[in-house]
Amino acid sequence: MKLKLTKAVIEAIEPPESGALFVRDSEVPGFALRVTANGAKSYIVERKMGGKTVRVTVGRVGVVTLPDARVEGMRLLAGMAAGKNPHDERRESAPTEVVTLDMLFEDYLTERTRTDPPLKPRTVDDYRKLWRYLADWHALPADSIDASMVIERHKALTAKPSGTTANRVMRTLSAVMNYALNNEQYIKPGGVPLIVLNPVVVLRQRRLWNRERRRKNYLDAATLPLWWKLVDDVADERWPDRWEVVRDYWRFLLFTGMRSYEAARLEVAKVNLRRGTFEVEDTKNRESFEVPVGPWVRAMLERRVAAAKKIGSPWVFPAPKREVGHTSPAHDIREILVAKHDLAWTPHDLRRTFATWLDSLEVSSFVVKRLLNHKSGAAGDVTAGYVQSDIERLRPIVDRLEAKLIGMCCPQDECAPAGATGTG
C-alpha cells in the first residue's frame, strides 16, 4: 500500500489481524510506516542492498514526529545508497550492559509519558503498584524472563490476591515486553534483538488468562433510602473538618454518575451556577465534559461554591490539609460506616446506580453514554458522530432522574440540602 503519509492518515490506519502492515510513503521513496498486530506503529526505511531488502526502524510514532522521521529516514537512505548498512553501525554501538527488567520498565514509562497522548499520572501510579508484584524480578536480565516464570507467577497471583490482579500484572509485563520487542534500541552485541518473543503470550496460547466478571453492584429502590441515612451518619464528631464535604461529595456522585476521582477535582471555576452546569477537563477519555444538573444538585453546588470561596479554595470539594487541596473518596470514613450499617457500597457503585436508573427512564443509549462521558461507539461509528446531545436537551432528562432518585432516597421528602461550610 502506498499513500502520502500524514498525521491524520497514520492515526486512521488500523492494525492488521496478524503480522505487520507496511504503508509506503508516496513522498519519500523507501520511507514507510510499519503497523503491527498489537497496534505498534513505527517509521522505517527500506532499500535493496546486496540483492536483499534491508529494513531499518527510524522511530516510534508518537515519540518521533513525522517531519523528523522523514529527515532521519532520508539520511539513512542516503547512507544505504552509498553502501552503508545501518544495522552494522548499530551492532558496533550496541550497549554491553545488562538490561534489567526494571530498567526496561522505567524506559517504557519514560517513553509513554512523552507520547501523544501521554500516560496520565494516575495510570503511571497504577502501573507502579502492579509492578511491585514482580519486585523479585526487577534486577533480573529482561531477556531471562521466560514462559514458565510467567505461568508460575500468574498462578500464584491468582491464588492471592486475585485473578483480576494476576491478569493486570501480566498485562503490564506484556506491555513492557512489547515495548522492547518493537524498539530498535534494545539490540544485544552481535545485532541480536534483546526480546525475540513476548513470554506473556503463553497465557493466551494455553488459555490461562483468568475470566474477569464485571461488577454489577448498584443501589436498588430498597437500598437507596438506607444508603441515604448512612451518608447522613457521616456527621460525626470523629470527622469535624471533613464530614460536610464528604457527605455532599458522595451524594454528588450519586446524582451525576461522575467518576470519583474526576468529581473530587471539580473546580469552582468550572461550575456555572447561572446555566446550572459544570465542566470537567482532563477526563479518562481525554475529552472535556459539560452537563446540566438538577435543582437539588444546583442548590448544593451553590452552597459548596460559596463555602470554597470563603476559605479561598479553588475546589468545590476542598480538603486544605491534603497536599492536592481537594477531597479524596474518603475510603477510611466509608469503611467505618459500611461496618456500622452493614451496607457495603463503593463510589463506583454510585456510578452504576446512576446509569441503571437513567436507563430505566428509557432514554437513548447515546444519552446514557453522553451523561456517563463514555465515547459513543467505535471510531467507525458514523451514526454516533451525527448524534449531538446539547445541554438543554439533556436538562429535562437530568431533572427527571434526580427527582426519581430523591423520591427513592427520601420517601418522606426529607432530602432538602442542609447547609454546608466544612472542608474535606
Side-chain angles (χ1 to χ4, degrees):
M1 181 190 301
K2 182 174 286 189
L3 294 170
K4 179 180 178 181
L5 291 179
T6 64
K7 184 178 180 181
V9 167
I10 292 170
E11 290 177 350
I13 294 173
E14 296 291 333
E17 292 185 4
S18 61
L21 170 68
F22 292 90
V23 182
R24 272 87 186 178
D25 186 25
S26 60
E27 298 292 296
V28 179
F31 183 71
L33 175 75
R34 178 179 60 209
V35 184
T36 62
N38 63 15
K41 297 180 179 181
S42 303
Y43 301 113
I44 67 158
V45 292
E46 55 186 2
R47 183 184 173 87
K48 288 280 188 181
M49 297 188 72
K52 296 181 180 180
T53 298
V54 175
R55 191 170 284 147
V56 182
T57 303
V58 177
R60 294 281 294 272
V61 172
V63 177
V64 180
T65 66
L66 177 57
D68 288 347
R70 272 207 179 95
V71 171
E72 175 63 10
M74 288 188 287
R75 185 190 72 79
L76 291 171
L77 287 167
M80 294 166 75
K84 297 179 181 179
N85 190 328
H87 289 309
D88 294 335
E89 298 177 5
R90 290 178 179 180
R91 288 190 189 102
E92 295 172 2
S93 61
T96 57
E97 67 173 326
V98 174
V99 178
T100 67
L101 185 64
D102 203 44
M103 290 167 61
L104 204 58
F105 176 70
E106 293 299 333
D107 287 352
Y108 169 74
L109 289 185
T110 298
E111 178 166 315
R112 286 299 312 278
T113 53
R114 294 201 308 255
T115 55
D116 183 21
L119 285 179
K120 290 179 177 288
R122 178 186 174 88
T123 304
V124 173
D125 289 343
D126 286 344
Y127 281 171
R128 290 195 180 281
K129 289 175 184 176
L130 293 169
W131 200 244
R132 292 171 194 159
Y133 287 103
L134 302 176
D136 54 324
W137 292 4
H138 289 184
L140 298 178
D143 57 348
S144 71
I145 309 301
D146 59 27
S148 62
M149 295 169 66
V150 168
I151 292 172
E152 182 179 348
R153 182 55 55 89
H154 184 258
K155 182 178 179 180
L157 292 175
T158 297
K160 184 179 181 181
S162 71
T164 298
T165 298
N167 284 356
R168 294 182 67 202
V169 170
M170 289 306 156
R171 288 193 193 103
T172 303
L173 176 62
S174 181
V176 173
M177 289 297 186
N178 280 337
Y179 163 73
L181 192 67
N182 291 286
N183 197 319
E184 69 282 354
Q185 78 180 68
Y186 296 108
I187 304 293
K188 294 191 289 187
V192 180
L194 176 68
I195 304 297
V196 178
L197 176 67
N198 187 335
V200 183
V201 299
V202 71
L203 298 179
R204 174 179 57 80
Q205 293 169 340
R206 294 181 55 178
R207 299 184 178 182
L208 296 175
W209 287 107
N210 295 308
R211 184 176 179 182
E212 298 180 35
R213 293 179 173 83
R214 292 191 64 177
R215 293 182 178 179
K216 299 180 180 180
N217 298 351
Y218 81 103
L219 307 185
D220 59 21
T223 308
L224 276 168
L226 302 177
W227 177 82
W228 193 271
K229 291 179 180 178
L230 176 150
V231 175
D232 276 337
D233 206 19
V234 76
D236 189 290
E237 61 183 9
R238 285 174 290 182
W239 311 296
D241 298 326
R242 300 177 62 193
W243 71 265
E244 289 180 298
V245 164
V246 171
R247 177 200 62 190
D248 287 346
Y249 166 70
W250 284 346
R251 288 176 175 166
F252 182 76
L253 295 181
L254 172 67
F255 287 122
T256 63
M258 288 279 290
R259 297 180 180 94
S260 59
Y261 58 92
E262 291 175 355
R265 301 198 311 262
L266 180 60
E267 300 176 43
V268 169
K270 298 300 181 181
V271 176
N272 189 323
L273 294 174
R274 181 181 59 80
R275 291 187 65 203
T277 64
F278 67 89
E279 181 180 5
V280 179
E281 296 179 339
D282 193 28
T283 62
K284 182 179 179 179
N285 65 17
R286 303 179 187 278
E287 295 182 356
S288 60
F289 174 54
E290 183 183 20
V291 290
V293 296
W296 193 97
V297 174
R298 190 170 187 167
M300 184 268 285
L301 285 176
E302 287 177 353
R303 294 182 289 97
R304 286 260 54 93
V305 166
K309 289 181 176 179
K310 186 175 181 180
I311 62 172
S313 173
W315 309 105
V316 172
F317 303 106
K321 293 182 180 179
R322 299 185 74 224
E323 184 177 352
V324 292
H326 58 69
T327 191
S328 70
H331 293 308
D332 55 331
I333 299 177
R334 179 180 60 82
E335 288 173 1
I336 292 172
L337 295 178
V338 163
K340 179 179 177 180
H341 290 260
D342 192 24
L343 179 60
W345 66 279
T346 68
H348 209 71
D349 290 345
L350 303 180
R351 183 168 167 82
R352 278 188 288 268
T353 300
F354 173 89
T356 300
W357 290 111
L358 176 61
D359 183 65
S360 75
L361 299 180
E362 299 183 350
V363 297
S364 75
S365 61
F366 294 113
V367 169
V368 175
K369 289 179 180 180
R370 170 70 172 81
L371 290 174
L372 288 172
N373 196 28
H374 283 168
K375 288 191 175 181
S376 294
D381 188 344
V382 178
T383 303
Y386 279 97
V387 177
Q388 303 296 319
S389 301
D390 61 32
I391 296 298
E392 294 313 312
R393 181 185 173 194
L394 294 172
R395 192 179 300 281
I397 298 172
V398 170
D399 289 350
R400 283 170 58 204
L401 178 60
E402 182 179 275
K404 186 181 185 80
L405 289 172
I406 287 177
M408 290 185 289
C409 288
C410 309
Q412 305 302 319
D413 195 24
E414 298 172 352
C415 282
T421 57
T423 58

